[in-house]
């Protein structure tokens, strides 16, 4: 067996994405569930959600062109491996995984799909498709459940294996064979990721119009209705009223 040491596994873009996804999701979920739809902060729920969608799209690109363990081919998606990993999770022994283990491989892809689904249903609700609200909330609750399961899994792994793997998403290092190390942190790509995400979010928030509950897409400039198109419905109602007045005249 090869000697193992602390090596660099997770690059800067992966760690930044992981941290911002957690902060962004819990912020958006908290605004919706704690403050509610009538809160003046609720539009930020939608703008954070759209920013998370942009982040996932960038992460999908990095899954193709990124460093070794950030790429999708490194994922362990064999169902048999998932079953074996689950069975071994509650023991002190088991197969070591340098990158994503079978459980986190599936969880990661499920989280990506849910973020995209939540973003799409939220966008459609802004266009008046209020029938998607139940699906939107179901997916949001599903993502919350996955996040809780993921955190619980990390805690169980840390206790049983005596390996603080949560730190790997802080400094990027894990205990593994030296030959599995990536060569650099990819800070240039990480910085570009932060700039793009920051630009997207600031563009949405700086163009937000509270009167219509809408903003505009960055660079494209077309209108983005937030929430359940309440502002749009109000504007439509006002337009109808004006039309009726004109007819009366």
């Amino acid at each position: 067996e090869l000697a193992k040491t602390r090596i660099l596994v997770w690059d800067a873009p992966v760690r930044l994405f992981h941290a911002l996804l957690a902060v962004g999701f819990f912020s958006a979920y908290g605004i919706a569930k704690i403050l509610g739809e009538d809160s003046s902060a609720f539009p930020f729920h939608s703008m954070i959600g759209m920013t998370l969608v942009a982040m996932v799209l960038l992460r999908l690109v990095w899954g193709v062109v990124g460093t070794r363990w950030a790429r999708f081919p490194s994922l362990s998606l064999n169902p048999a491996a998932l079953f074996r990993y689950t069975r071994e999770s509650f023991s002190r022994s088991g197969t070591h995984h340098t990158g994503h283990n079978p459980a986190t491989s599936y969880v990661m892809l499920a989280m990506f799909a849910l973020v995209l689904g939540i973003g799409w249903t939220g966008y459609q609700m802004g266009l008046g498709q209020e029938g998607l609200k139940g699906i939107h909330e179901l997916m949001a609750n599903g993502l919350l459940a996955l996040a809780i399961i993921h955190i619980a899994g990390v805690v169980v792994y840390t206790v049983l294996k005596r390996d603080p793997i949560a730190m790997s998403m802080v400094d990027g290092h894990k205990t593994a064979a030296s030959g599995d190390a990536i060569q650099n942190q990819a800070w240039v790509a990480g910085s570009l990721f932060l700039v793009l995400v920051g630009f997207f979010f600031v563009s949405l928030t700086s163009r937000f119009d509270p009167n219509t509950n809408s903003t505009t897409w960055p660079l494209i400039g077309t209108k983005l209705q937030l929430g359940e198109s309440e502002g749009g419905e109000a504007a439509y109602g006002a337009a109808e009223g004006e039309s009726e007045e004109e007819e009366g005249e």
Side-chain angles (χ1 to χ4, degrees):
E1 184 178 353
L2 296 174
K4 294 179 179 178
T5 184
R6 294 286 290 176
I7 63 168
L8 181 62
V9 173
W10 303 122
D11 57 40
V14 167
R15 291 171 4 237
L16 289 169
F17 171 82
H18 185 271
L20 290 178
L21 180 66
V23 172
F25 170 68
F26 284 114
S27 297
Y29 192 91
I31 290 172
K33 295 298 182 179
I34 298 173
L35 299 180
E37 297 180 15
D38 296 328
S39 167
S40 59
F42 190 74
F44 285 91
H45 160 88
S46 301
M47 290 185 281
I48 292 172
M50 290 303 169
T51 304
L52 293 181
V53 169
M55 284 171 46
V56 168
L57 294 177
L58 290 174
R59 179 64 180 89
L60 292 177
V61 173
W62 193 242
V64 176
V65 303
T67 57
R68 177 180 178 182
W69 302 110
R71 294 180 183 177
F72 295 127
S74 72
L75 298 180
S76 180
L77 298 173
N78 187 323
L82 176 62
F83 176 78
R84 184 170 58 252
Y85 178 81
T86 303
R87 186 184 60 199
E88 295 172 347
S89 293
F90 297 96
S91 66
R92 294 190 182 279
S93 60
T95 305
H96 177 79
H97 298 273
T98 302
H100 287 288
N101 61 53
T104 55
S105 294
Y106 279 102
V107 166
M108 184 182 78
L109 294 181
M111 285 185 170
F112 289 178
L114 285 171
V115 169
L116 295 177
I118 293 168
W120 182 81
T121 53
Y123 173 71
Q124 291 297 318
M125 287 162 61
L127 296 178
Q129 301 295 323
E130 296 182 20
L132 294 173
K133 183 176 181 179
I135 298 175
H136 182 80
E137 293 181 350
L138 180 64
M139 288 192 291
N141 289 331
L143 184 53
L144 176 66
L146 271 182
I148 292 173
I149 291 171
H150 177 53
I151 294 170
V154 169
V155 172
V156 170
Y157 185 97
T158 300
V159 172
L160 293 181
K161 310 290 185 180
R162 297 176 182 175
D163 182 5
I165 57 171
M167 283 301 298
S168 67
M169 280 297 169
V170 177
D171 62 12
H173 291 75
K174 292 180 71 175
T175 300
S178 58
D180 287 339
I182 61 174
Q183 299 305 308
N184 62 78
Q185 296 266 14
W187 277 115
V188 173
S191 299
L192 179 60
F193 172 75
L194 284 180
V195 169
L196 291 175
V197 172
F199 169 77
F200 191 88
F201 182 68
V202 171
S203 294
L204 290 178
T205 55
S206 63
R207 292 178 171 84
F208 172 64
D209 183 353
N211 296 317
T212 60
N213 197 37
S214 66
T215 182
T216 59
W217 286 107
L219 298 180
I220 301 175
T222 56
K223 182 179 178 181
L224 171 60
Q225 186 66 50
L226 305 176
E228 297 179 54
S229 69
E230 293 169 354
E233 290 171 359
Y236 178 73
E240 273 193 329
E242 290 174 1
S243 176
E244 290 173 359
E245 287 179 4
E246 288 175 358
E247 290 177 359
E249 291 174 358

